[in-house]
Amino acid sequence: MDFTPTEEQEAARDLAARILGDLSTHERLAAAGTGTDAELWKALSAAGLPAAVEEIGLLGLVLLLEEQGRVTAQVPLAATGVYGILAVARHGTEEQRARLLPGLRDGTAVATGAFPATGAVTAYDGRLTGGVTWVPWLRDATHVLVPDTDRTLWLVRTEDVGDAGVEPVELTAPWAAGRLVLDGTPAERLGAGEGAGPYEDVLAAARTAFAGLQAGVCAGSLARAVAYTSVREQFGRPLATRQAVQLRAADAHMDTESIRVTAYEAAWRSDAGLDCAGAALTAAWWASEAGKRVVHSGQHLHGGMGADLDHPVHRHFLWGRQLDAYLGAGTELLAELGDLLARGGSI
C-alpha cells in the first residue's frame, strides 16, 4: 500500500486548502446559517475541484474532504463526490455519464444519496414509493441516489419529487438536510443491471469519504485546541505545559491519525479495484468512535470558552457528532464488520 498522493492529488488538495481557507472564515460560516455557502461552492466548481474527482479518485476526494473538514465548510462536496460523480462515473451507462456528469462537474448539479438502505423504498415500473427520515444536503440537491429494497440504485430528480416531497430537517450540523418522501415518483435506474454490487461499492465509498471528512474535522478541532492552550495561561504557565493537557491532546492526535490512515487505506483499495468493504467499515468505525472523542477533547481543552456556542471550536463539535450519527453507531458497525468477516470477507 502506498498512500503517497500523486502530483494531481496534491495540487487539488493544495488548491482546495487555499480556497476553503480564504472563504470559510468564522464570520462567513456564522452568516451562512444552516444552508450551503453558494459563493464558496461556485468558487470550488470554477476551480474545477468537483470535476477533478473523476481523475484523482476516491483517495483524492478524501484529501479534499480533509481540507473541508478542517474549516467545516458548508458545501455538498462529499455528497456530490460519492453519490454523484463517482457513482455515475463507475456505474452509469455511457449515455448517463454523457448526460449527467457535465452538470456535476461544473457544480450546476448537486447530488446526494439516501444511504445506507433502510428497506423503506420500493420500486415498481420505474417509480419509487417510500420515505427516508433524513438525507444530507437534500434541500440543495438536484439529484438523489436512492437504493430500493433490492438495493438497486435509482436516480431521482428533486424537481420530480416536488416541495411536498422534501421536508426540511434541522440536524446537529448545518447540512441543509431534508426528509425524502416518494409517492410513485419517476426515477431512472443507474446503470444497465440490477443487483447489490453497485450499491455495496457506493456505500463503501460514502463511508470512506465521510470518514475522511471526519479526519479533517478532528484535525481542525485539535489545531484550535493546541493554539488555545499554547497562549492561555493558568498560574503563570501556558495550559499546554500541563501534563494532563499534553496527554489529552496526544490521545486526540492518535485518534485523528487512526481515522486518517484507515480512510486512506479504504480509499486506496477502492481506487485499486480491490475489495474495500471491510476497510470502509473499519474507517467508519474509527471515524464514529474516535471522532466523537476528539471533538469532545477539543471542546474540553478550551475550558470555559468551549462552552460558548458561538466559539469556532463548537462548530467542529457539532460536525463531529453529526458525522458520528451519519456513519452509524460503533457497535452497529462492528456487528456488520463481524458478519462480513464471518462470510469470508477481509479487512
Side-chain angles (χ1 to χ4, degrees):
M1 292 178 289
D2 183 5
F3 304 151
T4 305
T6 64
E7 291 184 5
E8 292 79 9
Q9 289 170 338
E10 284 187 336
R13 179 191 62 194
D14 294 344
L15 179 58
R18 185 163 63 252
I19 295 173
L20 292 165
D22 288 345
L23 295 182
S24 291
T25 63
H26 176 57
E27 292 74 21
R28 283 179 56 85
L29 288 168
T34 61
T36 293
D37 187 332
E39 181 180 344
L40 176 56
W41 181 242
K42 288 180 181 179
L44 293 172
S45 300
L49 289 171
V53 171
E54 284 181 84
E55 181 178 351
I56 62 179
L58 184 54
L59 180 56
L61 176 60
V62 165
L63 295 174
L64 299 183
L65 294 175
E66 272 194 87
E67 299 306 323
Q68 178 187 354
R70 290 180 197 276
V71 294
T72 60
Q74 291 175 206
V75 288
L77 182 57
T80 292
V82 292
Y83 299 128
I85 293 172
L86 288 180
V88 173
R90 290 180 175 182
H91 303 292
T93 64
E94 184 176 347
E95 186 278 332
Q96 286 175 327
R97 292 194 297 270
R99 172 166 48 89
L100 296 169
L101 285 174
L104 294 168
R105 291 174 186 140
D106 66 19
T108 56
V110 173
T112 188
F115 277 65
T118 61
V121 176
T122 58
Y124 178 75
D125 196 24
R127 291 182 176 272
L128 304 183
T129 300
V132 181
T133 304
W134 66 273
V135 178
W137 306 108
L138 180 61
R139 281 179 276 163
D140 295 325
T142 58
H143 296 78
V144 189
L145 189 63
V146 182
D148 65 15
T149 51
D150 296 323
R151 296 191 175 183
T152 299
L153 297 180
W154 299 86
L155 274 171
V156 177
R157 297 186 305 172
T158 51
E159 66 179 33
D160 292 331
V161 176
D163 293 339
V166 178
E167 301 174 2
V169 174
E170 297 303 329
L171 304 179
T172 301
W175 285 6
R179 180 171 183 263
L180 180 64
V181 180
L182 304 168
D183 186 12
T185 306
E188 65 171 304
R189 189 171 61 202
L190 182 65
E194 296 182 354
Y199 167 79
E200 297 293 349
D201 179 70
V202 174
L203 177 59
R207 284 171 164 163
T208 303
F210 281 94
L213 183 60
Q214 181 76 300
V217 169
C218 291
S221 175
L222 182 57
R224 289 189 181 278
V226 169
Y228 178 79
T229 56
S230 296
V231 298
R232 177 72 167 88
E233 291 190 356
Q234 187 180 60
F235 304 115
R237 294 170 53 193
L239 288 173
T241 63
R242 307 290 177 178
Q243 187 178 50
V245 172
Q246 294 171 357
L247 291 174
R248 188 76 182 270
D251 285 343
H253 171 73
M254 293 302 296
D255 274 338
T256 301
E257 288 302 300
S258 296
I259 300 169
R260 176 181 291 114
V261 73
T262 52
Y264 283 8
E265 179 182 2
W268 176 85
R269 292 185 67 86
S270 177
D271 289 339
L274 302 173
D275 178 26
C276 61
L281 276 167
T282 302
W285 181 84
W286 274 105
S288 176
E289 288 292 294
K292 60 174 170 277
R293 287 199 299 265
V294 174
V295 295
H296 273 270
S297 294
Q299 195 165 25
H300 188 200
L301 288 172
H302 278 76
M305 294 297 295
D308 183 356
L309 301 185
D310 293 325
H311 195 284
V313 77
H314 185 65
R315 187 174 289 108
H316 290 271
F317 175 79
L318 297 178
W319 277 65
R321 291 312 309 247
Q322 188 64 64
L323 284 163
D324 166 39
Y326 187 58
L327 289 165
T331 52
E332 294 178 351
L333 292 167
L334 283 182
E336 187 176 343
L337 181 58
D339 290 341
L340 177 67
L341 295 175
R343 296 195 304 269
S346 60
I347 298 179

XYZ file of all heavy atoms in Angstrom, residues 233-238 242:
62
model
N -2.932 31.101 29.755
C -2.103 30.824 30.928
C -2.956 30.565 32.166
O -4.043 31.122 32.329
C -1.162 31.996 31.202
C -0.077 32.162 30.148
C 0.976 33.157 30.560
O 0.830 33.778 31.643
O 1.954 33.340 29.807
N -2.439 29.709 33.009
C -3.044 29.417 34.305
C -1.930 29.317 35.340
O -0.969 28.565 35.144
C -3.835 28.103 34.243
C -4.636 27.815 35.501
C -5.387 26.502 35.389
O -4.785 25.449 35.220
N -6.711 26.567 35.477
N -2.031 30.108 36.398
C -0.987 30.168 37.427
C 0.382 30.487 36.818
O 1.401 29.908 37.181
C -0.917 28.853 38.212
C -2.217 28.450 38.836
C -2.861 27.300 38.427
C -2.816 29.246 39.807
C -4.073 26.925 38.986
C -4.023 28.873 40.378
C -4.649 27.717 39.961
N 0.370 31.403 35.826
C 1.612 31.876 35.253
C 2.245 30.978 34.217
O 3.360 31.259 33.745
N 1.584 29.916 33.819
C 2.139 28.996 32.829
C 1.088 28.675 31.766
O -0.108 28.559 32.091
C 2.583 27.675 33.482
C 3.748 27.810 34.432
C 3.940 26.510 35.212
N 4.055 25.351 34.312
C 3.981 24.098 34.735
N 3.760 23.835 36.029
N 4.126 23.100 33.881
N 1.499 28.525 30.509
C 0.541 28.125 29.474
C -0.078 26.765 29.800
O 0.596 25.873 30.333
C 1.392 28.046 28.201
C 2.575 28.910 28.477
C 2.846 28.774 29.945
N 0.984 21.757 30.880
C 0.449 20.835 31.875
C 0.403 19.421 31.299
O -0.047 19.210 30.173
C -0.962 21.252 32.299
C -1.078 22.693 32.768
C -0.396 22.905 34.108
N -0.442 24.311 34.511
C 0.050 24.766 35.647
N 0.623 23.919 36.502
N -0.008 26.056 35.935
